[in-house]
Amino acid sequence: MTGEIASMDAMKMERTNIAERYCALVLGIAFLILGIAGFIPALVSVPGANASYIPADVAPRAYSAGFGYLFGIFPTNFLHNLVHCAVGIFGIASYTTASSARVFNRFFAVSYILIALLGAIPATNTVFGLMPIFGGNVLLNGLTAVAALYYGIILPAKVNDVGVSRNI
């Protein structure tokens, strides 16, 4: 009887590990696509202007370089696109093992909850003049952080039958 229980626990843990890995992979692919899309002028627009984005050579400061709205929803600039690409690559790379996926999901959840909160505060919604995290980014960052929080912290705690605080 105990052998069956141990086998069932191992199967639950394996399913959790797979879910954590796929969460990291999906987040990685999504953020890599967003990062690459931000560099494609046809997908970026500047409200009230004919230009798709502000070219780097005429931008008065780093924040303005490449500024525009990706898909007309998400404010972005060149630095923001690079950050999205880096996060995407890390997410895809962390898919290789369950432990690296768990670390990625946990780090992503904490970081992106903080970024969503910064984006909601007017004084910090440009990350101190470096990149835009306001508007649609607040919702995107908050929702993706909740997904990573669930798969990186809450789900493993439920499977291990321990409190979330003990799982961190």
Side-chain angles (χ1 to χ4, degrees), residues 75-150:
T76 191
N77 65 8
F78 289 148
L79 179 60
H80 200 174
N81 297 333
L82 290 174
V83 169
H84 277 169
C85 287
V87 168
I89 291 168
F90 286 133
I92 293 168
S94 72
Y95 169 76
T96 56
T97 66
S99 62
S100 62
R102 184 172 294 168
V103 168
F104 173 81
N105 287 334
R106 289 177 177 187
F107 183 76
F108 184 95
V110 171
S111 300
Y112 273 76
I113 286 171
L114 293 174
I115 291 170
L117 291 173
L118 283 174
I121 300 169
T124 58
N125 67 7
T126 62
V127 190
F128 310 105
L130 295 175
M131 61 184 175
I133 55 172
F134 53 87
N137 285 330
V138 174
L139 184 61
L140 174 71
N141 294 338
L143 291 176
T144 54
V146 168
L149 178 77
Y150 178 77

Side-chain angles (χ1 to χ4, degrees), residues 46-52:
V46 177
N50 292 333
S52 60

